[in-house]
Amino acid sequence: MKKLQALLICLLLFSTSSYYGQEAPKKWKFAFQLDNRFSSIRGKDVTVFGLKVGLQYKKLTRIGIGSSFIVNPVYIDYYNKKLKAEETNKISFWYFSIFNDWILFKNKKWECFATEQIGFGRPNFTKEINNDIVSDVNVNLYVNEISGQVNYKFTKWIGLGAGIGYRNLLNKKSALNTTFDAPIYIAKIIIYPETFFNN
């Protein structure tokens, strides 16, 4: 009889621990985002493509690293006072960043969050002089982007996102603030590959 009672107690403890182990939510999970933004440089429209990889803690926050670059280079016409001639600069730009998303609201379909990413990057200014391609800017830029975003999840794998924010340079002594400081607009199709990793 005692052996039977001991066996029943062991089975009860095992089933209870298995139940709570299955129900307990994971605190951390993998997060991946394709991150497209629309912005401008000196009044010229640009598309910024990026991706982010990181971890999400419960329904509170996401942290990780990312990379972004301008898809379509911008051509800026200006007057060169030294040469006393009109010239054209071709501007491209890339940067690496760390990001943090503060999740304000989240359920199975909707997610509202504020995000900040701080990055290090370099612009590339090139121009043609006497049929030679010349790069004449060699400066490090520290970029800060803050935005508010809303995502809607249609299925486990696909959703839509929209948002608005601002990009500005942290190294204010740079002569390029007027070039790269600008509003950003977000409209994206979201793919959730982390579904495969979190199962």
Side-chain angles (χ1 to χ4, degrees), residues 63-79:
I63 56 174
I65 58 173
S67 177
S68 301
F69 65 91
I70 293 174
V71 175
N72 49 322
V74 173
Y75 293 87
I76 304 294
D77 297 322
Y78 71 101
Y79 184 75

Side-chain angles (χ1 to χ4, degrees), residues 8 24 27 40 44 50 77 83 94-95 101 116 124-125 130 135 137 145 148 171 178 185 187 189 192:
L8 289 173
K27 290 185 177 180
S40 63
K44 304 286 183 73
D77 297 322
L83 300 178
W94 59 265
Y95 60 94
D101 294 342
E116 180 174 16
N124 184 22
F125 282 50
N130 297 326
S135 180
V137 172
E145 283 190 8
N171 47 334
T178 55
Y185 306 96
I189 296 175
Y192 297 97

Side-chain angles (χ1 to χ4, degrees), residues 24-92:
K26 295 179 181 178
K27 290 185 177 180
W28 293 94
K29 65 178 183 178
F30 176 76
F32 175 86
Q33 301 175 50
L34 294 174
D35 190 32
N36 295 335
R37 283 100 72 207
F38 302 97
S39 188
S40 63
I41 291 179
R42 291 282 181 94
K44 304 286 183 73
D45 293 337
V46 295
T47 300
V48 182
F49 177 79
L51 60 87
K52 295 177 179 177
V53 178
L55 294 171
Q56 179 175 315
Y57 180 71
K58 296 183 177 179
K59 293 183 178 181
L60 300 177
T61 187
R62 276 185 298 268
I63 56 174
I65 58 173
S67 177
S68 301
F69 65 91
I70 293 174
V71 175
N72 49 322
V74 173
Y75 293 87
I76 304 294
D77 297 322
Y78 71 101
Y79 184 75
N80 188 323
K81 293 180 179 179
K82 290 183 180 179
L83 300 178
K84 296 181 179 180
E86 292 286 340
E87 293 186 350
T88 301
N89 260 339
K90 177 184 175 183
I91 304 173
S92 56

Side-chain angles (χ1 to χ4, degrees), residues 87-155:
E87 293 186 350
T88 301
N89 260 339
K90 177 184 175 183
I91 304 173
S92 56
F93 184 45
W94 59 265
Y95 60 94
F96 295 106
S97 60
I98 57 174
F99 74 89
N100 187 18
D101 294 342
W102 293 276
I103 301 172
L104 307 175
F105 172 79
K106 184 176 178 66
N107 61 21
K108 290 183 178 180
K109 293 291 184 180
W110 291 95
E111 180 183 66
C112 300
F113 61 98
T115 184
E116 180 174 16
Q117 56 185 31
I118 298 175
F120 164 82
R122 296 178 71 88
N124 184 22
F125 282 50
T126 58
K127 59 186 176 183
E128 186 174 319
I129 299 178
N130 297 326
N131 296 321
D132 292 326
I133 302 299
V134 178
S135 180
D136 63 350
V137 172
N138 184 23
V139 62
N140 297 329
L141 299 183
Y142 300 93
V143 183
N144 185 42
E145 283 190 8
I146 298 177
S147 63
Q149 299 186 43
V150 177
N151 292 344
Y152 179 75
K153 197 171 189 178
F154 285 103
T155 69

